Amino acid sequence: MMLPAISFTPDEHACSCVRQDVLQQAVKQFRLHGCLFLGNVFPTKFMTRLRNAYQKRYARYFEEAHHLDALEVGQKRYMVTVAFRPPFTAPLLYAHPLVLPIIRAILGEDCVLGSLASVVSLPGAPLQHLHRDGPALFPTMPNELLPCYALTMAIPLIEFNDVHGTTRMWPGTHLQIAEQPVNASFVDPQVPVGSCFLMDYRILHQGTENRSQHVRPLLYLVYHRPWFKDYRNYKKQPFLIISKRQYQKIPECYRGMFAWIEHYKHGLF
């Protein structure tokens, strides 16, 4: 089984505008499968800056230990909140002109950026437990009747492949309530650096083994409807680490994506 996918053309990148037919197809595929591969999204130089900055600042999580500020999400796996400071403040990352329209078409124009974080899978990390990032909001109501309330944009900082490992997904399980896939078909996407993928918060997934000698860092951004709050995954660290200075530097056209910060600013600034 293949992961539903779209790729952006040089013309779309040049005009910073996704074609309407591509947008419609992306939204249709995401709603149906709960996941979507986006090819050819970020420039190589930009990805190099992100990877270098991440490796420099978060190297302390590249060893197996008890980290007070990182949630252990499996053996040799840690969830680490990434500070909102350059180069992670670039609008190209959180408001990509070709990706953001897709996200807004799925979640609504008033959706917000809820968190900027990462998952570090160390060399030798085994298969992660099967899980959903978020529950069904109304367990007694069939999921197929409910729209997506949150999604993750996952950006590998090294290539996801059979050696480094990847994120295994069960397309369609965002529409099911069962804790085990009704359909056993899964997909292990091969994701080159510069591409990314979207996941509905309800889709069943798991990180696969890291068979390499290299740390596998996955940068991710969570977008959600403005009324939602993730009360399960951020018990050990903040949703977002942002200074007042960096918050004030956010371009006015994107300030609405961070509107929720005003309610929590005393804990963030």
Side-chain angles (χ1 to χ4, degrees):
M1 185 176 185
M2 298 293 292
L3 188 69
I6 64 169
S7 291
F8 301 112
T9 66
D11 287 344
E12 287 175 296
H13 279 287
C15 70
S16 296
C17 181
V18 60
R19 298 201 325 263
Q20 190 63 27
D21 62 313
V22 174
L23 174 62
Q24 292 174 351
Q25 182 65 14
V27 173
K28 178 181 178 180
Q29 292 297 318
F30 182 84
R31 287 175 174 165
L32 178 63
H33 299 286
C35 51
L36 182 68
F37 173 88
L38 301 176
N40 187 30
V41 176
F42 301 103
T44 301
K45 289 184 179 180
F46 180 64
M47 292 304 304
T48 299
R49 289 200 301 272
L50 294 182
R51 182 176 62 251
N52 289 345
Y54 187 88
Q55 291 175 338
K56 180 179 179 180
R57 296 173 193 172
Y58 301 104
R60 64 185 181 277
Y61 302 105
F62 293 2
E63 295 182 1
E64 193 170 8
H66 178 65
H67 301 289
L68 297 177
D69 58 348
L71 182 66
E72 189 171 351
V73 292
Q75 186 179 350
K76 296 187 176 183
R77 276 187 174 82
Y78 304 106
M79 188 177 87
V80 181
T81 301
V82 176
F84 192 79
R85 47 184 283 217
F88 300 99
T89 55
L92 185 65
L93 175 63
Y94 65 81
H96 194 287
L98 301 182
V99 180
L100 186 58
I102 297 173
I103 294 173
R104 284 177 167 170
I106 294 168
L107 294 174
E109 290 292 326
D110 60 347
C111 68
V112 299
L113 176 65
S115 63
L116 170 62
S118 62
V119 172
V120 181
S121 298
L122 305 185
L127 188 67
Q128 190 186 27
H129 61 281
L130 184 65
H131 66 285
R132 306 176 192 270
D133 287 336
L137 292 184
F138 303 97
T140 58
M141 172 125 359
N143 258 347
E144 63 264 24
L145 300 180
L146 300 173
C148 177
Y149 60 82
L151 65 81
T152 299
M153 179 169 72
I155 308 170
L157 294 182
I158 67 169
E159 181 180 352
F160 274 19
N161 55 36
D162 293 336
V163 178
H164 296 149
T166 185
T167 300
R168 177 173 294 167
M169 290 172 273
W170 278 261
T173 53
H174 65 304
L175 302 179
Q176 305 168 4
I177 296 179
E179 289 306 311
Q180 293 295 323
V182 175
N183 183 345
S185 297
F186 60 80
V187 59
D188 288 346
Q190 308 285 299
V191 188
V193 174
S195 295
C196 64
F197 55 94
L198 305 180
M199 297 193 308
D200 190 299
Y201 234 46
R202 302 166 294 177
I203 195 171
L204 283 167
H205 64 283
Q206 60 187 170
T208 63
E209 300 94 332
N210 183 352
R211 300 186 176 95
S212 76
Q213 297 302 311
H214 305 286
V215 171
R216 184 178 87 226
L218 173 67
L219 182 68
Y220 72 86
L221 299 91
V222 174
Y223 300 82
H224 55 75
R225 296 180 188 269
W227 44 262
F228 174 72
K229 179 183 177 182
D230 186 338
Y231 61 89
R232 299 203 317 179
N233 297 310
Y234 295 89
K235 297 177 180 179
K236 206 169 182 180
Q237 67 261 46
F239 303 96
L240 193 66
I241 299 173
I242 183 170
S243 67
K244 186 173 183 179
R245 179 184 177 189
Q246 292 299 339
Y247 176 67
Q248 292 172 340
K249 286 184 176 181
I250 296 170
E252 188 64 33
C253 59
Y254 302 128
R255 191 68 62 83
M257 296 172 60
F258 298 81
W260 64 273
I261 288 179
E262 291 296 332
H263 299 289
Y264 300 96
K265 63 183 179 182
H266 296 298
L268 288 166
F269 297 153

